[in-house]
mmCIF file of all heavy atoms in Angstrom:
data_model
loop_
_atom_site.group_PDB
_atom_site.id
_atom_site.type_symbol
_atom_site.label_atom_id
_atom_site.label_comp_id
_atom_site.label_asym_id
_atom_site.label_seq_id
_atom_site.Cartn_x
_atom_site.Cartn_y
_atom_site.Cartn_z
ATOM 1 N N CYS G 337 -26.163 -8.634 -9.173
ATOM 2 C CA CYS G 337 -27.624 -8.699 -9.545
ATOM 3 C C CYS G 337 -28.480 -8.582 -8.270
ATOM 4 O O CYS G 337 -29.509 -7.895 -8.331
ATOM 5 C CB CYS G 337 -27.952 -9.984 -10.358
ATOM 6 S SG CYS G 337 -27.262 -9.971 -11.987
ATOM 7 N N GLN G 338 -28.094 -9.266 -7.207
ATOM 8 C CA GLN G 338 -28.859 -9.197 -5.986
ATOM 9 C C GLN G 338 -28.837 -7.792 -5.375
ATOM 10 O O GLN G 338 -29.848 -7.275 -4.938
ATOM 11 C CB GLN G 338 -28.303 -10.200 -4.956
ATOM 12 C CG GLN G 338 -29.126 -10.294 -3.640
ATOM 13 C CD GLN G 338 -30.541 -10.764 -3.989
ATOM 14 O OE1 GLN G 338 -30.690 -11.815 -4.590
ATOM 15 N NE2 GLN G 338 -31.543 -10.023 -3.557
ATOM 16 N N ASP G 339 -27.636 -7.107 -5.437
ATOM 17 C CA ASP G 339 -27.587 -5.717 -4.947
ATOM 18 C C ASP G 339 -28.435 -4.834 -5.750
ATOM 19 O O ASP G 339 -29.153 -3.915 -5.194
ATOM 20 C CB ASP G 339 -26.108 -5.254 -5.024
ATOM 21 C CG ASP G 339 -25.194 -5.898 -4.008
ATOM 22 O OD1 ASP G 339 -25.728 -6.487 -3.015
ATOM 23 O OD2 ASP G 339 -23.986 -5.763 -4.136
ATOM 24 N N ILE G 340 -28.493 -5.008 -7.047
ATOM 25 C CA ILE G 340 -29.360 -4.165 -7.919
ATOM 26 C C ILE G 340 -30.794 -4.430 -7.597
ATOM 27 O O ILE G 340 -31.615 -3.513 -7.471
ATOM 28 C CB ILE G 340 -29.038 -4.451 -9.366
ATOM 29 C CG1 ILE G 340 -27.617 -3.905 -9.771
ATOM 30 C CG2 ILE G 340 -30.062 -3.800 -10.297
ATOM 31 C CD1 ILE G 340 -27.107 -4.324 -11.142
ATOM 32 N N ALA G 341 -31.184 -5.709 -7.481
ATOM 33 C CA ALA G 341 -32.576 -6.064 -7.203
ATOM 34 C C ALA G 341 -32.965 -5.522 -5.813
ATOM 35 O O ALA G 341 -34.112 -4.942 -5.702
ATOM 36 C CB ALA G 341 -32.768 -7.552 -7.235
ATOM 37 N N ASP G 342 -32.125 -5.603 -4.878
ATOM 38 C CA ASP G 342 -32.440 -5.062 -3.472
ATOM 39 C C ASP G 342 -32.629 -3.538 -3.582
ATOM 40 O O ASP G 342 -33.549 -2.974 -2.947
ATOM 41 C CB ASP G 342 -31.335 -5.359 -2.479
ATOM 42 C CG ASP G 342 -31.281 -6.881 -2.169
ATOM 43 O OD1 ASP G 342 -32.215 -7.604 -2.403
ATOM 44 O OD2 ASP G 342 -30.213 -7.262 -1.629
ATOM 45 N N SER G 343 -31.790 -2.850 -4.300
ATOM 46 C CA SER G 343 -31.886 -1.363 -4.409
ATOM 47 C C SER G 343 -33.185 -1.023 -5.134
ATOM 48 O O SER G 343 -33.893 -0.036 -4.683
ATOM 49 C CB SER G 343 -30.707 -0.835 -5.198
ATOM 50 O OG SER G 343 -29.515 -0.953 -4.432
ATOM 51 N N LEU G 344 -33.527 -1.715 -6.198
ATOM 52 C CA LEU G 344 -34.801 -1.416 -6.938
ATOM 53 C C LEU G 344 -35.990 -1.727 -6.026
ATOM 54 O O LEU G 344 -36.999 -0.916 -6.045
ATOM 55 C CB LEU G 344 -34.855 -2.218 -8.260
ATOM 56 C CG LEU G 344 -33.824 -1.850 -9.295
ATOM 57 C CD1 LEU G 344 -33.939 -2.823 -10.418
ATOM 58 C CD2 LEU G 344 -34.107 -0.426 -9.762
ATOM 59 N N ASP G 345 -35.955 -2.803 -5.276
ATOM 60 C CA ASP G 345 -37.034 -3.138 -4.348
ATOM 61 C C ASP G 345 -37.210 -2.048 -3.303
ATOM 62 O O ASP G 345 -38.331 -1.789 -2.859
ATOM 63 C CB ASP G 345 -36.819 -4.473 -3.630
ATOM 64 C CG ASP G 345 -36.967 -5.660 -4.530
ATOM 65 O OD1 ASP G 345 -37.551 -5.492 -5.639
ATOM 66 O OD2 ASP G 345 -36.498 -6.766 -4.187
ATOM 67 N N ASN G 346 -36.167 -1.402 -2.923
ATOM 68 C CA ASN G 346 -36.174 -0.315 -1.888
ATOM 69 C C ASN G 346 -36.507 0.995 -2.510
ATOM 70 O O ASN G 346 -36.504 2.022 -1.791
ATOM 71 C CB ASN G 346 -34.883 -0.246 -1.111
ATOM 72 C CG ASN G 346 -34.684 -1.474 -0.224
ATOM 73 O OD1 ASN G 346 -35.636 -2.126 0.182
ATOM 74 N ND2 ASN G 346 -33.432 -1.823 -0.082
ATOM 75 N N GLY G 347 -36.705 1.055 -3.833
ATOM 76 C CA GLY G 347 -37.023 2.314 -4.527
ATOM 77 C C GLY G 347 -35.801 3.248 -4.706
ATOM 78 O O GLY G 347 -35.946 4.440 -4.944
ATOM 79 N N ASN G 348 -34.610 2.673 -4.556
ATOM 80 C CA ASN G 348 -33.365 3.511 -4.756
ATOM 81 C C ASN G 348 -32.992 3.587 -6.220
ATOM 82 O O ASN G 348 -33.290 2.654 -6.988
ATOM 83 C CB ASN G 348 -32.222 2.861 -3.980
ATOM 84 C CG ASN G 348 -32.475 2.803 -2.502
ATOM 85 O OD1 ASN G 348 -33.137 3.678 -1.930
ATOM 86 N ND2 ASN G 348 -31.947 1.830 -1.849
ATOM 87 N N LYS G 349 -32.337 4.684 -6.600
ATOM 88 C CA LYS G 349 -31.783 4.792 -7.944
ATOM 89 C C LYS G 349 -30.436 4.190 -7.914
ATOM 90 O O LYS G 349 -29.740 4.148 -6.908
ATOM 91 C CB LYS G 349 -31.745 6.300 -8.362
ATOM 92 C CG LYS G 349 -33.116 6.875 -8.466
ATOM 93 C CD LYS G 349 -33.046 8.236 -9.039
ATOM 94 C CE LYS G 349 -34.467 8.745 -9.187
ATOM 95 N NZ LYS G 349 -34.536 9.947 -10.062
ATOM 96 N N ILE G 350 -29.999 3.715 -9.094
ATOM 97 C CA ILE G 350 -28.739 3.014 -9.201
ATOM 98 C C ILE G 350 -27.894 3.603 -10.346
ATOM 99 O O ILE G 350 -28.385 3.819 -11.416
ATOM 100 C CB ILE G 350 -28.967 1.481 -9.505
ATOM 101 C CG1 ILE G 350 -29.821 0.896 -8.441
ATOM 102 C CG2 ILE G 350 -27.665 0.768 -9.596
ATOM 103 C CD1 ILE G 350 -30.329 -0.494 -8.813
ATOM 104 N N ASP G 351 -26.670 3.828 -10.013
ATOM 105 C CA ASP G 351 -25.668 4.226 -11.033
ATOM 106 C C ASP G 351 -24.637 3.067 -11.060
ATOM 107 O O ASP G 351 -24.228 2.602 -9.972
ATOM 108 C CB ASP G 351 -24.941 5.522 -10.693
ATOM 109 C CG ASP G 351 -25.882 6.723 -10.767
ATOM 110 O OD1 ASP G 351 -26.720 6.736 -11.601
ATOM 111 O OD2 ASP G 351 -25.705 7.606 -9.907
ATOM 112 N N VAL G 352 -24.271 2.620 -12.247
ATOM 113 C CA VAL G 352 -23.342 1.549 -12.372
ATOM 114 C C VAL G 352 -22.141 1.996 -13.241
ATOM 115 O O VAL G 352 -22.321 2.532 -14.283
ATOM 116 C CB VAL G 352 -24.011 0.307 -13.021
ATOM 117 C CG1 VAL G 352 -22.994 -0.819 -13.209
ATOM 118 C CG2 VAL G 352 -25.168 -0.180 -12.163
ATOM 119 N N ILE G 353 -20.975 1.697 -12.725
ATOM 120 C CA ILE G 353 -19.759 1.960 -13.488
ATOM 121 C C ILE G 353 -18.995 0.594 -13.529
ATOM 122 O O ILE G 353 -18.743 -0.009 -12.505
ATOM 123 C CB ILE G 353 -18.836 2.991 -12.817
ATOM 124 C CG1 ILE G 353 -19.557 4.353 -12.807
ATOM 125 C CG2 ILE G 353 -17.524 3.122 -13.553
ATOM 126 C CD1 ILE G 353 -18.860 5.397 -12.013
ATOM 127 N N ILE G 354 -18.683 0.190 -14.719
ATOM 128 C CA ILE G 354 -17.913 -1.099 -14.890
ATOM 129 C C ILE G 354 -16.557 -0.689 -15.447
ATOM 130 O O ILE G 354 -16.456 -0.092 -16.507
ATOM 131 C CB ILE G 354 -18.707 -2.032 -15.825
ATOM 132 C CG1 ILE G 354 -20.042 -2.376 -15.212
ATOM 133 C CG2 ILE G 354 -17.882 -3.323 -16.040
ATOM 134 C CD1 ILE G 354 -20.959 -3.239 -16.076
ATOM 135 N N VAL G 355 -15.525 -1.222 -14.742
ATOM 136 C CA VAL G 355 -14.105 -0.955 -15.191
ATOM 137 C C VAL G 355 -13.421 -2.280 -15.368
ATOM 138 O O VAL G 355 -13.556 -3.191 -14.563
ATOM 139 C CB VAL G 355 -13.418 -0.129 -14.063
ATOM 140 C CG1 VAL G 355 -11.986 0.152 -14.492
ATOM 141 C CG2 VAL G 355 -14.151 1.168 -13.806
ATOM 142 N N ASP G 356 -12.752 -2.369 -16.494
ATOM 143 C CA ASP G 356 -11.984 -3.617 -16.775
ATOM 144 C C ASP G 356 -10.518 -3.378 -16.433
ATOM 145 O O ASP G 356 -9.876 -2.565 -17.000
ATOM 146 C CB ASP G 356 -12.091 -3.896 -18.283
ATOM 147 C CG ASP G 356 -11.374 -5.170 -18.650
ATOM 148 O OD1 ASP G 356 -10.836 -5.883 -17.764
ATOM 149 O OD2 ASP G 356 -11.243 -5.479 -19.863
ATOM 150 N N PHE G 357 -10.088 -4.100 -15.396
ATOM 151 C CA PHE G 357 -8.748 -4.007 -14.877
ATOM 152 C C PHE G 357 -7.841 -5.068 -15.468
ATOM 153 O O PHE G 357 -6.964 -5.567 -14.794
ATOM 154 C CB PHE G 357 -8.709 -4.021 -13.400
ATOM 155 C CG PHE G 357 -9.263 -2.821 -12.724
ATOM 156 C CD1 PHE G 357 -10.481 -2.829 -12.080
ATOM 157 C CD2 PHE G 357 -8.566 -1.623 -12.812
ATOM 158 C CE1 PHE G 357 -10.996 -1.697 -11.477
ATOM 159 C CE2 PHE G 357 -9.061 -0.438 -12.218
ATOM 160 C CZ PHE G 357 -10.277 -0.490 -11.528
ATOM 161 N N SER G 358 -8.073 -5.507 -16.702
ATOM 162 C CA SER G 358 -7.273 -6.589 -17.251
ATOM 163 C C SER G 358 -5.821 -6.130 -17.312
ATOM 164 O O SER G 358 -5.506 -5.002 -17.550
ATOM 165 C CB SER G 358 -7.796 -6.952 -18.683
ATOM 166 O OG SER G 358 -7.576 -5.875 -19.517
ATOM 167 N N LYS G 359 -4.942 -7.082 -16.960
ATOM 168 C CA LYS G 359 -3.534 -6.867 -16.909
ATOM 169 C C LYS G 359 -3.138 -5.776 -15.879
ATOM 170 O O LYS G 359 -2.039 -5.239 -15.994
ATOM 171 C CB LYS G 359 -2.923 -6.550 -18.270
ATOM 172 C CG LYS G 359 -3.207 -7.683 -19.217
ATOM 173 C CD LYS G 359 -2.381 -7.561 -20.434
ATOM 174 C CE LYS G 359 -2.757 -8.740 -21.335
ATOM 175 N NZ LYS G 359 -1.759 -9.011 -22.355
ATOM 176 N N ALA G 360 -4.012 -5.524 -14.924
ATOM 177 C CA ALA G 360 -3.692 -4.494 -13.928
ATOM 178 C C ALA G 360 -2.488 -4.909 -13.062
ATOM 179 O O ALA G 360 -1.661 -4.106 -12.682
ATOM 180 C CB ALA G 360 -4.861 -4.277 -12.979
ATOM 181 N N PHE G 361 -2.373 -6.207 -12.813
ATOM 182 C CA PHE G 361 -1.230 -6.691 -12.029
ATOM 183 C C PHE G 361 0.113 -6.348 -12.660
ATOM 184 O O PHE G 361 1.099 -6.092 -11.935
ATOM 185 C CB PHE G 361 -1.327 -8.216 -11.792
ATOM 186 C CG PHE G 361 -0.285 -8.759 -10.853
ATOM 187 C CD1 PHE G 361 -0.444 -8.614 -9.474
ATOM 188 C CD2 PHE G 361 0.849 -9.407 -11.320
ATOM 189 C CE1 PHE G 361 0.495 -9.064 -8.642
ATOM 190 C CE2 PHE G 361 1.789 -9.919 -10.460
ATOM 191 C CZ PHE G 361 1.636 -9.722 -9.097
ATOM 192 N N ASP G 362 0.151 -6.322 -13.977
ATOM 193 C CA ASP G 362 1.429 -5.940 -14.695
ATOM 194 C C ASP G 362 1.884 -4.549 -14.421
ATOM 195 O O ASP G 362 2.999 -4.232 -14.610
ATOM 196 C CB ASP G 362 1.226 -6.125 -16.199
ATOM 197 C CG ASP G 362 0.946 -7.549 -16.591
ATOM 198 O OD1 ASP G 362 1.178 -8.491 -15.786
ATOM 199 O OD2 ASP G 362 0.396 -7.771 -17.696
ATOM 200 N N LEU G 363 0.968 -3.709 -13.913
ATOM 201 C CA LEU G 363 1.272 -2.311 -13.667
ATOM 202 C C LEU G 363 1.624 -2.022 -12.276
ATOM 203 O O LEU G 363 2.031 -0.908 -11.931
ATOM 204 C CB LEU G 363 0.113 -1.420 -14.067
ATOM 205 C CG LEU G 363 -0.383 -1.604 -15.541
ATOM 206 C CD1 LEU G 363 -1.675 -0.794 -15.733
ATOM 207 C CD2 LEU G 363 0.689 -1.170 -16.498
ATOM 208 N N VAL G 364 1.569 -2.998 -11.395
ATOM 209 C CA VAL G 364 1.869 -2.799 -9.954
ATOM 210 C C VAL G 364 3.384 -2.793 -9.822
ATOM 211 O O VAL G 364 4.097 -3.647 -10.200
ATOM 212 C CB VAL G 364 1.326 -3.933 -9.088
ATOM 213 C CG1 VAL G 364 1.719 -3.830 -7.604
ATOM 214 C CG2 VAL G 364 -0.175 -4.001 -9.210
ATOM 215 N N PRO G 365 3.927 -1.674 -9.157
ATOM 216 C CA PRO G 365 5.374 -1.588 -8.964
ATOM 217 C C PRO G 365 5.818 -2.724 -7.969
ATOM 218 O O PRO G 365 5.202 -2.865 -6.878
ATOM 219 C CB PRO G 365 5.578 -0.216 -8.287
ATOM 220 C CG PRO G 365 4.340 0.510 -8.603
ATOM 221 C CD PRO G 365 3.247 -0.471 -8.728
ATOM 222 N N LEU G 366 6.880 -3.478 -8.337
ATOM 223 C CA LEU G 366 7.295 -4.622 -7.559
ATOM 224 C C LEU G 366 7.674 -4.213 -6.146
ATOM 225 O O LEU G 366 7.282 -4.910 -5.190
ATOM 226 C CB LEU G 366 8.453 -5.310 -8.265
ATOM 227 C CG LEU G 366 9.065 -6.460 -7.534
ATOM 228 C CD1 LEU G 366 8.025 -7.578 -7.319
ATOM 229 C CD2 LEU G 366 10.293 -6.982 -8.322
ATOM 230 N N GLY G 367 8.379 -3.104 -5.975
ATOM 231 C CA GLY G 367 8.782 -2.676 -4.612
ATOM 232 C C GLY G 367 7.597 -2.460 -3.743
ATOM 233 O O GLY G 367 7.577 -2.879 -2.579
ATOM 234 N N ARG G 368 6.593 -1.788 -4.263
ATOM 235 C CA ARG G 368 5.327 -1.526 -3.459
ATOM 236 C C ARG G 368 4.614 -2.819 -3.151
ATOM 237 O O ARG G 368 4.151 -3.010 -2.023
ATOM 238 C CB ARG G 368 4.406 -0.619 -4.239
ATOM 239 C CG ARG G 368 3.275 -0.143 -3.359
ATOM 240 C CD ARG G 368 2.337 0.842 -4.058
ATOM 241 N NE ARG G 368 3.076 1.982 -4.551
ATOM 242 C CZ ARG G 368 2.643 2.814 -5.479
ATOM 243 N NH1 ARG G 368 1.453 2.607 -6.049
ATOM 244 N NH2 ARG G 368 3.354 3.830 -5.843
ATOM 245 N N LEU G 369 4.573 -3.761 -4.081
ATOM 246 C CA LEU G 369 3.874 -5.052 -3.869
ATOM 247 C C LEU G 369 4.656 -5.781 -2.741
ATOM 248 O O LEU G 369 3.980 -6.312 -1.842
ATOM 249 C CB LEU G 369 3.960 -5.821 -5.154
ATOM 250 C CG LEU G 369 3.393 -7.289 -5.054
ATOM 251 C CD1 LEU G 369 1.903 -7.272 -4.714
ATOM 252 C CD2 LEU G 369 3.665 -8.057 -6.308
ATOM 253 N N LEU G 370 5.932 -5.833 -2.771
ATOM 254 C CA LEU G 370 6.685 -6.573 -1.728
ATOM 255 C C LEU G 370 6.590 -5.898 -0.400
ATOM 256 O O LEU G 370 6.420 -6.546 0.660
ATOM 257 C CB LEU G 370 8.136 -6.691 -2.190
ATOM 258 C CG LEU G 370 8.343 -7.597 -3.396
ATOM 259 C CD1 LEU G 370 9.829 -7.489 -3.856
ATOM 260 C CD2 LEU G 370 8.004 -9.052 -3.106
ATOM 261 N N THR G 371 6.568 -4.538 -0.370
ATOM 262 C CA THR G 371 6.415 -3.803 0.886
ATOM 263 C C THR G 371 5.053 -4.097 1.520
ATOM 264 O O THR G 371 4.937 -4.375 2.698
ATOM 265 C CB THR G 371 6.671 -2.286 0.682
ATOM 266 O OG1 THR G 371 7.924 -2.059 0.199
ATOM 267 C CG2 THR G 371 6.404 -1.524 1.952
ATOM 268 N N ASN G 372 4.060 -3.990 0.710
ATOM 269 C CA ASN G 372 2.707 -4.244 1.220
ATOM 270 C C ASN G 372 2.549 -5.716 1.636
ATOM 271 O O ASN G 372 1.845 -5.996 2.675
ATOM 272 C CB ASN G 372 1.630 -3.930 0.159
ATOM 273 C CG ASN G 372 1.447 -2.448 -0.046
ATOM 274 O OD1 ASN G 372 1.954 -1.639 0.756
ATOM 275 N ND2 ASN G 372 0.850 -2.048 -1.160
ATOM 276 N N THR G 373 3.166 -6.669 0.940
ATOM 277 C CA THR G 373 3.123 -8.049 1.332
ATOM 278 C C THR G 373 3.806 -8.268 2.699
ATOM 279 O O THR G 373 3.277 -8.938 3.536
ATOM 280 C CB THR G 373 3.745 -8.909 0.274
ATOM 281 O OG1 THR G 373 3.091 -8.732 -1.028
ATOM 282 C CG2 THR G 373 3.699 -10.421 0.621
ATOM 283 N N ALA G 374 4.973 -7.609 2.817
ATOM 284 C CA ALA G 374 5.687 -7.761 4.102
ATOM 285 C C ALA G 374 4.898 -7.136 5.234
ATOM 286 O O ALA G 374 4.884 -7.685 6.380
ATOM 287 C CB ALA G 374 7.065 -7.070 3.978
ATOM 288 N N ASN G 375 4.209 -6.032 4.991
ATOM 289 C CA ASN G 375 3.400 -5.364 6.044
ATOM 290 C C ASN G 375 2.111 -6.020 6.341
ATOM 291 O O ASN G 375 1.390 -5.655 7.311
ATOM 292 C CB ASN G 375 3.200 -3.887 5.660
ATOM 293 C CG ASN G 375 4.446 -3.099 5.634
ATOM 294 O OD1 ASN G 375 5.406 -3.441 6.291
ATOM 295 N ND2 ASN G 375 4.463 -2.031 4.873
ATOM 296 N N SER G 376 1.751 -7.055 5.589
ATOM 297 C CA SER G 376 0.461 -7.710 5.785
ATOM 298 C C SER G 376 0.540 -8.910 6.697
ATOM 299 O O SER G 376 -0.470 -9.590 6.915
ATOM 300 C CB SER G 376 -0.073 -8.139 4.457
ATOM 301 O OG SER G 376 0.614 -9.182 3.918
ATOM 302 N N GLY G 377 1.699 -9.141 7.268
ATOM 303 C CA GLY G 377 1.874 -10.294 8.204
ATOM 304 C C GLY G 377 2.396 -11.481 7.604
ATOM 305 O O GLY G 377 2.472 -12.594 8.184
ATOM 306 N N VAL G 378 2.790 -11.448 6.318
ATOM 307 C CA VAL G 378 3.428 -12.554 5.639
ATOM 308 C C VAL G 378 4.833 -12.796 6.196
ATOM 309 O O VAL G 378 5.569 -11.817 6.418
ATOM 310 C CB VAL G 378 3.494 -12.306 4.076
ATOM 311 C CG1 VAL G 378 4.237 -13.407 3.406
ATOM 312 C CG2 VAL G 378 2.047 -12.276 3.588
ATOM 313 N N ASP G 379 5.216 -14.008 6.432
ATOM 314 C CA ASP G 379 6.558 -14.386 6.919
ATOM 315 C C ASP G 379 7.611 -13.730 6.024
ATOM 316 O O ASP G 379 7.493 -13.843 4.786
ATOM 317 C CB ASP G 379 6.677 -15.867 6.998
ATOM 318 C CG ASP G 379 7.970 -16.361 7.621
ATOM 319 O OD1 ASP G 379 9.076 -16.047 7.056
ATOM 320 O OD2 ASP G 379 7.928 -17.018 8.622
ATOM 321 N N SER G 380 8.647 -13.129 6.594
ATOM 322 C CA SER G 380 9.679 -12.429 5.820
ATOM 323 C C SER G 380 10.363 -13.385 4.875
ATOM 324 O O SER G 380 10.826 -12.954 3.780
ATOM 325 C CB SER G 380 10.670 -11.744 6.781
ATOM 326 O OG SER G 380 11.313 -12.732 7.570
ATOM 327 N N ARG G 381 10.493 -14.649 5.210
ATOM 328 C CA ARG G 381 11.171 -15.614 4.290
ATOM 329 C C ARG G 381 10.364 -15.824 3.059
ATOM 330 O O ARG G 381 10.918 -16.021 1.947
ATOM 331 C CB ARG G 381 11.403 -16.973 5.023
ATOM 332 C CG ARG G 381 12.371 -16.850 6.203
ATOM 333 C CD ARG G 381 12.361 -18.066 7.034
ATOM 334 N NE ARG G 381 11.036 -18.265 7.671
ATOM 335 C CZ ARG G 381 10.769 -19.211 8.542
ATOM 336 N NH1 ARG G 381 11.670 -20.161 8.775
ATOM 337 N NH2 ARG G 381 9.558 -19.273 9.042
#
């Protein structure tokens, strides 16, 4: 709401897209998740 208000105050036009990612975690491939976790600095153990 603050971002929208700031844009309107500045005279900018606004486009809004709302996406529901419910259950998105269920679609993440486990191998990719673990690889990204390992590459993010998380202890290998």
